[in-house]
Amino acid sequence: MKGNKKWLNIVSPVILLIVILVCWELYVAVSGIDARILPAPHVILSKLGERFMRDLSGDFLYTIQVILIGYCISIPSGILLAALCSQSKLVTKAITPVLILMVVIPMLTLVPILQLWYGYVMKVRIIVVICQAVPIICLNTLRGFTKVETAKRELFRSMGAGRFKTFVKLIFPNALPQVFVGLKLGCIFSTIAAMSADLAASNEGLGSRISVYSGMLMTDMAYGTIIVVALIGIVLFMIVAYIEKKVVIWIK
Amino acid sequence: MKMKELMRLQGICKVFDKGLDELVCLDDINLTIQEGEYVCILGPSGCGKSTLLKIIGGIEKPTLGSIVMDEEVFEDGIPKSHLKDFGFVFQQHNLLEWRTVQKNLRLNLEIFRLKGSVWEKRVEEMLEIVGLQDYANIYPHELSGGMKQRTGIARALVHDPKVLIMDQPFGALDAITRNMLSYEMLDIWKKTQKTMIMVTNSVEEALLVSSRILVMNKKGEFISKIVNDVPLKARDEKIAYNDRYNELRKKLDDIVHEIQE
């Protein structure tokens, strides 16, 4: 029974996706809409397969680097920042609204300013990714660090555990489910931030490719690039979710 | 049995600040605990019995009063150096979900910095005492409520404390499991010879396991101290037929009834 349901969890979204693609395909075929406005899915995929290695692989690697470097710096920074802030109730109260503000501000707005300082370098986009991912990781982790059951704190107090031991053996592992909420959102935010930074900075990266293709009315390739971006985000998310399942075994 | 004093509470008071009001929770508690005793504290909810246990176990500090232990006087609660003398069993199992049963026991050894094969062996022994030796590598969420609480008891014993403090340890369990664990507690007491201090709200439970019963009223004062002299031999499934048991039970029921009014 249970195994059956698991199977359904995977199959049902796939079926939905196929239904959508078939409808799309049919609509394009029946309506005879211009391929420059809405290309059929099979055209997008075949064009993408044909031209990916030649036209897109460079930008693909560039964007992947921006996302991964930015995300990998954001993880320890966000958690460390949360760990420091959680030591004081006052600091936690002060920083929470600031973090929410930073989550809401689209960090691509930083691109023009940062380019004034650094010029057209990859660093600018990595900074954008970090600025977008750190707040969301920090916010969720902080929530985990500050919500510990009283009884568990009392258990540690009954043994006279110090601040450091309490953090390492209680507060951090106790917060892991919340930390992973932050990490999962963080990888999505990283992808979005890298994309928007590409769009704002242009000249390199998958995001700028999309605007170039649209400008040249190569709509099929624009869609194809969007698919590649989506795949990056999904794969990254799935990797984090997989690690979460291996680590947070006590929550089903 | 030769009695040796283990600890003495002198004039313990606990006052909580609640804005402008002060909430007096415990008022002038005096209590001497002998080595090897099984003390049960009965009382209505909110009377401060949990707070008293927390003060005895070093989780909270008393507002006033001192604790005497090993001829040392502690004016400001149990100091860190003496916390190892206590093992605490909580109302809800209070296990760390990310640790297996045996690693939950190891936690105490890690925090008290107890290393070596003697302690490793003690983890196994304690699991055996509560009958969980086959569940050492299982995570808490896979255990039943009774097993979780047993793990909690084993954890409180693992660092070899002098006193086991239990705050309504069976309160969250169903009646059958609760009954079974009471007998097991009695067994553990006989086996380990530890001093036990337990808060409970069940007269029957207190009579089954304890050697002394203290009744607290709503104001946080002891109004009655009864020596439970039901012989250990009689404390089995047929305890309900023991005359002394029924006598004490009636007496305690009356006292408890009076407090409620």
Side-chain angles (χ1 to χ4, degrees):
Chain A
M1 184 67 189
K2 255 187 183 169
N4 226 343
K5 268 191 182 156
K6 231 179 185 176
W7 184 74
L8 261 178
N9 281 345
I10 301 167
V11 169
S12 50
V14 172
I15 290 176
L16 180 65
L17 190 69
I18 291 172
V19 168
I20 292 171
L21 287 176
V22 167
C23 289
W24 183 350
E25 193 76 54
L26 282 174
Y27 175 75
V28 173
V30 172
S31 68
I33 194 167
D34 193 325
R36 281 169 298 183
I37 294 167
L38 187 68
H42 79 272
V43 177
I44 295 172
L45 289 176
S46 67
K47 262 277 163 55
L48 183 66
E50 197 181 295
R51 307 187 64 155
F52 179 78
M53 285 315 285
R54 203 182 62 204
D55 289 357
L56 272 181
S57 55
D59 297 289
F60 174 75
L61 288 176
Y62 184 88
T63 300
I64 281 265
Q65 271 185 64
V66 171
I67 295 173
L68 285 185
I69 296 174
Y71 183 50
C72 288
I73 294 174
S74 302
I75 295 172
S77 318
I79 294 174
L80 198 68
L81 187 64
L84 291 175
C85 295
S86 69
Q87 296 303 311
S88 150
K89 268 187 190 160
L90 187 69
V91 176
T92 305
K93 271 185 191 153
I95 203 164
T96 306
V98 179
L99 287 172
I100 293 171
L101 201 69
M102 286 184 72
V103 168
V104 178
I105 296 173
M107 289 300 165
L108 78 112
T109 47
L110 292 176
V111 172
I113 303 166
L114 289 171
Q115 273 178 345
L116 277 181
W117 297 350
Y118 298 113
Y120 290 83
V121 285
M122 190 190 265
K123 193 158 76 181
V124 168
R125 298 179 204 194
I126 293 174
I127 293 173
V128 171
V129 170
I130 293 171
C131 289
Q132 196 84 79
V134 166
I136 191 74
I137 293 175
C138 184
L139 191 68
N140 281 283
T141 307
L142 193 58
R143 194 167 297 156
F145 284 169
T146 46
K147 274 195 182 150
V148 185
E149 276 171 71
T150 321
K152 286 199 174 113
R153 280 191 186 279
E154 283 176 351
L155 169 70
F156 276 70
R157 222 183 306 150
S158 79
M159 296 191 276
R163 245 177 194 219
F164 183 72
K165 269 195 176 169
T166 308
F167 184 81
V168 173
K169 292 186 193 293
L170 172 64
I171 295 173
F172 186 72
N174 188 63
L176 275 173
Q178 283 291 329
V179 172
F180 271 101
V181 171
L183 293 187
K184 283 195 280 190
L185 286 168
C187 73
I188 297 169
F189 273 53
S190 298
T191 314
I192 295 171
M195 229 25 63
S196 49
D198 279 354
L199 280 166
S202 70
N203 76 11
E204 257 179 308
L206 289 175
S208 62
R209 275 280 115 173
I210 294 172
S211 66
V212 169
Y213 282 136
S214 318
M216 291 160 69
L217 285 182
M218 292 167 74
T219 320
D220 42 9
M221 277 311 286
Y223 274 104
T225 315
I226 292 171
I227 291 173
V228 173
V229 173
L231 282 176
I232 293 175
I234 291 169
V235 169
L236 210 57
F237 184 87
M238 277 164 60
I239 292 171
V240 180
Y242 178 78
I243 297 171
E244 180 188 20
K245 239 185 178 170
K246 293 281 153 198
V247 176
V248 188
I249 34 165
W250 62 94
I251 290 176
K252 277 166 271 175
Chain B
M1 199 162 64
K2 226 169 65 187
M3 287 288 213
K4 189 170 163 261
E5 182 187 300
L6 183 94
M7 67 190 302
R8 193 164 71 234
L9 310 183
Q10 294 174 326
I12 296 286
C13 297
K14 181 75 184 176
V15 181
F16 287 108
D17 268 333
K18 281 212 164 175
L20 290 173
D21 295 329
E22 283 190 334
L23 188 76
V24 178
C25 175
L26 293 170
D27 194 10
D28 194 24
I29 294 282
N30 293 291
L31 175 64
T32 306
I33 291 160
Q34 311 288 345
E35 216 161 82
E37 264 194 305
Y38 198 137
V39 181
C40 270
I41 301 172
L42 273 170
S45 56
C47 71
K49 47 197 193 323
S50 288
T51 310
L52 180 65
L53 280 196
K54 282 176 194 170
I55 289 171
I56 297 174
I59 295 177
E60 300 248 11
K61 285 176 179 175
T63 315
L64 266 178
S66 57
I67 300 169
V68 184
M69 233 182 139
D70 296 332
E71 285 163 16
E72 272 185 272
V73 183
F74 305 127
E75 297 284 351
D76 195 29
I78 305 283
K80 218 174 159 180
S81 54
H82 275 70
L83 289 174
K84 206 189 142 290
D85 293 340
F86 301 93
F88 217 104
V89 180
F90 294 82
Q91 188 168 9
Q92 242 86 30
H93 57 87
N94 207 13
L95 299 174
L96 305 183
E97 298 94 337
W98 52 91
R99 282 175 173 248
T100 60
V101 166
Q102 75 162 304
K103 283 194 176 148
N104 262 292
L105 266 62
R106 288 240 163 84
L107 176 78
N108 294 26
L109 304 184
E110 288 165 20
I111 291 180
F112 288 123
R113 295 178 209 276
L114 304 170
K115 285 172 200 150
S117 55
V118 184
W119 294 107
E120 293 295 314
K121 240 186 110 191
R122 191 157 167 95
V123 172
E124 282 166 40
E125 282 169 18
M126 289 307 115
L127 285 178
E128 236 163 84
I129 272 193
V130 295
L132 285 175
Q133 60 274 32
D134 297 335
Y135 295 86
N137 295 314
I138 301 284
Y139 285 90
H141 70 266
E142 295 166 298
L143 298 174
S144 68
M147 286 162 134
K148 282 181 199 163
Q149 200 51 284
R150 281 200 193 104
T151 312
I153 294 164
R155 176 178 62 184
L157 284 165
V158 76
H159 54 283
D160 203 13
K162 289 182 189 159
V163 191
L164 200 63
I165 299 172
M166 291 171 276
D167 188 2
Q168 305 191 43
F170 315 132
L173 302 172
D174 61 274
I176 295 170
T177 315
R178 187 174 180 154
N179 203 268
M180 231 163 60
L181 267 177
S182 303
Y183 286 113
E184 279 181 39
M185 245 4 269
L186 189 65
D187 218 39
I188 290 170
W189 180 47
K190 287 185 208 159
K191 269 188 210 159
T192 60
Q193 307 272 315
K194 299 268 178 224
T195 310
M196 310 269 194
I197 306 171
M198 179 167 107
V199 159
T200 177
N201 49 19
S202 153
V203 170
E204 288 87 353
E205 203 172 275
L207 278 170
L208 177 68
V209 295
S210 73
S211 60
R212 193 150 62 107
I213 297 170
L214 310 173
V215 186
M216 218 180 214
N217 68 5
K218 277 180 183 160
K219 287 185 215 146
E221 303 160 335
F222 286 129
I223 49 159
S224 179
K225 300 184 178 183
I226 293 174
V227 174
N228 180 9
D229 51 7
V230 178
L232 280 181
K233 273 185 203 160
R235 299 191 190 185
D236 51 24
E237 292 78 13
K238 288 183 201 130
I239 193 170
Y241 303 108
N242 185 288
D243 294 336
R244 184 63 185 150
Y245 170 82
N246 284 315
E247 210 177 298
L248 285 174
R249 187 181 156 173
K250 201 169 169 308
K251 193 171 160 192
L252 276 166
D253 276 341
D254 288 343
I255 297 169
V256 171
H257 195 72
E258 244 169 68
I259 303 170
Q260 304 290 358
E261 277 163 7

